[in-house]
Amino acid sequence: MFIGIDVGGTAIKYGVILRTGEIVKKGQMPTIHEKENFLQSIEALIKSLQQDAVIEGVGISAPGIIQKDGTMTTAGSIKSLYGINLKLELEGRVKLPVIVENDANAAAIAEKWLGHAQTCENYLCLVVGTGIGGGIIVNNRLYRGSHGMAGEFGWMLIDSLPEQGNLESVSLNQRAAIVGGLCHQYQLALQQLGRSDLPLDAIEIFQRGEQGEVVANQVIAQFFQDLSVGLLNLISTFDPELILIGGGISENDSFMAKLEETMSQLKARHESIGYLEGRTIAPIQRAKLKNDAGMIGAVYQLMNQ
């Protein structure tokens, strides 16, 4: 058996996973952003799970640019992990083999193993959450790029550039992610109106839209348009067989339905893409393994080493 750990900006999901990919035990805990306390919490988790099962190794999926050797060039919002070799840090503490993989890469790998991409050779997997990460599979192999940075789709710029300031204000991360995009843009819109009734999460924003709130519906429409523009750019660049959408929001049927509707509208207005629709344009589909994909993919990587 293996331990799969999926590190997020706010929570860490974990599970005990069989060689078949079946998760026999799972749970989650808050993410600690201070380095030493973070490492201690992961160490304690692993040792606790070892009390009930014989563990062969630990597969970790995490945000950021991650080198093959486990070095965290970046780590998303967990700034204290930038530059550390998480693999070596944990192996020294728990005396088990550890692999560390980018979360979107891990999700893409999991979908090839047990999900909707089992018959695909070339596909993309997007994890839409705090930001937007991506996994790229080309000819049945994970494409990492020269520095492990491939798949940072959230950095793509999709709009007119501001004259000054941070260009990431018009990136997918700040326009089409959930926390960094939808929630952020809604807060900005409310602030411009002098309102302070900020929602807690995306679900509340969607609920306000369903209740007829004009601001919410304007932000939601722009959010789906921005995400669809990003997806069309990726389709044009990679010509994949399939694009899979992961992240917690992908489990929402209304989200997927609205995304498909917006994609259809934009494809119809793009002459070249519209002509190829039904011929070469990749379909968009919800990832099968949902929130378990990261830990399953990381364990699969470990099993194959």
Side-chain angles (χ1 to χ4, degrees):
M1 287 185 279
F2 298 86
I3 295 173
I5 298 175
D6 186 11
V7 178
T10 57
I12 294 173
K13 300 184 289 292
Y14 59 87
V16 176
I17 302 175
L18 303 181
R19 283 188 171 270
T20 59
E22 180 185 357
I23 301 174
V24 294
K25 180 178 182 179
K26 67 166 61 176
Q28 72 175 42
M29 63 185 188
T31 302
I32 300 172
H33 282 238
E34 192 277 324
K35 174 185 170 182
E36 184 56 32
N37 288 338
F38 172 89
L39 293 172
Q40 288 177 1
S41 69
I42 299 294
E43 177 185 358
L45 170 64
I46 293 169
K47 290 180 176 178
S48 173
L49 293 174
Q50 281 183 294
Q51 294 177 5
D52 300 321
V54 177
I55 301 300
E56 299 177 63
V58 181
I60 297 177
S61 76
I65 299 170
I66 303 172
Q67 305 300 320
K68 282 186 177 181
D69 67 356
T71 298
M72 312 281 290
T73 304
T74 66
S77 64
I78 313 173
K79 303 296 185 182
S80 67
L81 299 186
Y82 280 42
I84 78 165
N85 189 310
L86 185 57
K87 169 183 168 67
L88 295 181
E89 289 273 2
L90 290 175
E91 284 183 339
R93 292 168 183 255
V94 301
K95 311 305 179 186
L96 287 170
V98 175
I99 189 173
V100 184
E101 182 62 84
N102 168 270
D103 51 6
N105 286 346
I109 293 164
E111 289 293 321
K112 179 66 175 179
W113 183 23
L114 299 171
H116 289 314
Q118 294 181 50
T119 62
C120 296
E121 294 183 1
N122 302 281
Y123 64 95
L124 305 176
C125 183
L126 271 73
V127 178
V128 182
T130 301
I132 294 182
I136 305 169
I137 304 296
V138 177
N139 297 329
N140 283 323
R141 300 189 65 178
L142 176 67
Y143 178 72
R144 297 179 180 277
S146 299
H147 310 93
M149 195 180 77
E152 290 291 343
F153 300 146
W155 291 354
M156 293 193 304
L157 306 179
I158 60 168
D159 210 340
S160 299
L161 303 184
E163 294 183 5
Q164 299 179 21
N166 185 1
L167 295 182
E168 289 193 73
S169 63
V170 292
S171 69
L172 279 185
N173 277 339
Q174 294 193 22
R175 293 283 291 273
I178 299 302
V179 178
L182 176 67
C183 296
H184 173 65
Q185 293 300 324
Y186 185 66
Q187 290 172 359
L188 291 178
L190 291 187
Q191 289 170 4
Q192 291 177 354
L193 296 174
R195 289 171 52 183
S196 59
D197 53 328
L198 301 182
L200 297 176
D201 54 31
I203 299 302
E204 186 174 345
I205 297 174
F206 286 127
Q207 289 174 345
R208 292 185 180 192
E210 291 171 356
Q211 294 166 2
E213 184 186 281
V214 174
V215 175
N217 280 323
Q218 289 174 339
V219 171
I220 290 168
Q222 188 65 53
F223 161 78
F224 279 109
Q225 178 174 299
D226 292 337
L227 180 55
S228 297
V229 167
L231 290 170
L232 289 178
N233 288 338
L234 292 173
I235 288 171
S236 302
T237 302
F238 289 99
D239 184 26
E241 297 168 67
L242 177 67
I243 294 184
L244 295 168
I245 306 295
I249 194 65
S250 68
E251 298 184 37
N252 185 294
D253 291 339
S254 296
F255 167 82
M256 291 302 299
K258 183 63 177 178
L259 178 59
E260 291 171 4
E261 177 187 343
T262 307
M263 284 288 293
S264 295
Q265 292 171 352
L266 295 189
K267 284 186 286 188
R269 294 178 56 196
H270 191 298
E271 183 176 352
S272 298
I273 290 177
Y275 172 76
L276 294 172
E277 175 73 344
R279 295 179 173 90
T280 68
I281 301 303
I284 307 296
Q285 188 174 356
R286 175 191 287 125
K288 179 179 179 180
L289 300 175
K290 302 178 182 177
N291 275 338
D292 294 333
M295 68 175 89
I296 290 174
V299 164
Y300 187 65
Q301 285 285 70
L302 181 64
M303 288 169 51
N304 285 337
Q305 283 196 344

